[in-house]
Amino acid sequence: MSDDDFMFDEEDEYDFEYEEDDGDEEVVGIETKYYNAKALRDDPAAALREFQLVIDEDNTNGRSEWGFKATKQIIKLHLQARDFDKVLEFYDRMLNYVRASEVARNYAEKSINNMLERVSSNADDQFSREFYQRTLDVLKETQSERLWLRTSLRLAKILLQQAQFDELSALLATLKRSCEDERGIIIMERGTQALEVNAVYLEMYEAQGADKQFKDTYMQCEAVKSAVPHPRIMGYIHESGGKIYMSERCWAKAQSCFFDAFKNYDEAGSNRRVEVLQYLVLASMLSESEVNPLSSPEAKSYENEPPIRAIIDLVHAYENRDVQAFERILSSDQSAILEDGFIKRYIADLRRTFRMQAIEGIVMPYTRIRIETLVRILAATTAEVEELLVALILDRRLKGSIDQENSTLLLRQDTTDKTQYEALNTWATNIESFMHTSYALLS
């Protein structure tokens, strides 16, 4: 916490909301003492003493917002000093004001929310959990449902970071029930909250490696229509869908999901956009799409990022069916491409897809070609090349057969020349015209 944060409280806009014509000298006096205490920012010990005097006077004259404000400042000072026991002690006192409705509800909720922000950025996870739990207890008592939900989601993030999955599961179950009616159907007005809860479920299941639950939760997210969540949340949901479809080898669907994820992350300004752009390019190559995702205006601004620069070179080799360049990039740029565990998982699939396309280009002019020639060009084994040839023949991408005895690929060249079809059509037309002419002469 900076000194400026202490001196200029973001909530001071409320400090001047009082009637000036009531002649209450006690209010003016305690207000002056409060601001005098705030002016002692360079002497925390003196500031603590003065704020305590404000609280004492407030308790004597009847509790008001000035005691609440002074309590907040004491919490901030103890948080700055990392005296967490004192933080909790005075936070309980601050929450008592909220319980007793001694400050305006909106002001109380804003103050609690700002305090949670400070704790999240200045304290360890264990203390944050205790701080959040005390907050949730009070919010439940005061029925501050909106803030209760936001605070619960923050606590869920802390539990996720600590891998406290049992406690996290219980909290998420409670949050999920709060978004559903008695039939277990998501309440339309709470679709956004339901998606946010499911996004945390997805993170938990991904961390646990629970693939079935991961997919089931993603499908639940897809079923929610009445929601407008933060683009970062939607980015993660679409990224999760892309990973699911990649595991099922549904490359085109994965490409679509990763594209949506990239757009959402880009809108949110998230650093995840660069990683997901790599996943999008990977899925595009695996789906053998003719559209280069790096040519889109959104992606072009990231083409100079080191990971993207490496994958651009890989795309060029892929499009040009340059076997040597393709293999060289995978070997020399391991730190830029293969350091991502997700990408590394699909390099074998990518190499197979690339080799199949390369074979199609290599054999095109021939009626027969020795398999050892393909082995040499592709830098593969005989077994690998034969397996690829069989797959291409079965998929009808190659018309031919394998001569096992002579280790040769035999190809059938079908005539598909357009000029020949046009010549046949002209010949047939001329014959028809000749027949009509002959009939006319005979008659």
Side-chain angles (χ1 to χ4, degrees), residues 18 49 83 98 116 132 148 183 194 203 331 363 379 387 393:
Y18 60 89
R49 287 194 301 271
D83 188 346
V98 179
L116 292 172
Y132 273 66
W148 174 85
R183 297 169 298 170
E203 289 188 78
S331 300
V363 305
E387 187 272 330
I393 291 170

Side-chain angles (χ1 to χ4, degrees), residues 323 327 355 359 362-363 369-389 407:
V323 177
E327 293 295 340
R355 285 174 170 175
I359 287 174
I362 293 168
V363 305
I369 185 171
R370 295 188 63 80
I371 291 177
E372 65 183 34
T373 301
L374 296 175
V375 169
R376 185 178 65 257
I377 295 174
L378 297 176
T381 65
T382 301
E384 288 173 337
V385 171
E386 288 181 348
E387 187 272 330
L388 293 173
L389 292 174
S407 190

Side-chain angles (χ1 to χ4, degrees), residues 285-301:
M285 288 189 287
L286 287 167
S287 67
E288 301 184 68
S289 171
E290 295 181 359
V291 178
N292 183 353
L294 293 171
S295 62
S296 67
E298 300 94 338
K300 274 190 173 298
S301 58

Side-chain angles (χ1 to χ4, degrees), residues 258-272:
F258 285 138
F259 181 67
D260 289 335
F262 170 72
K263 289 194 298 182
N264 286 135
Y265 281 139
D266 193 41
E267 181 183 351
S270 171
N271 293 331
R272 290 289 304 158

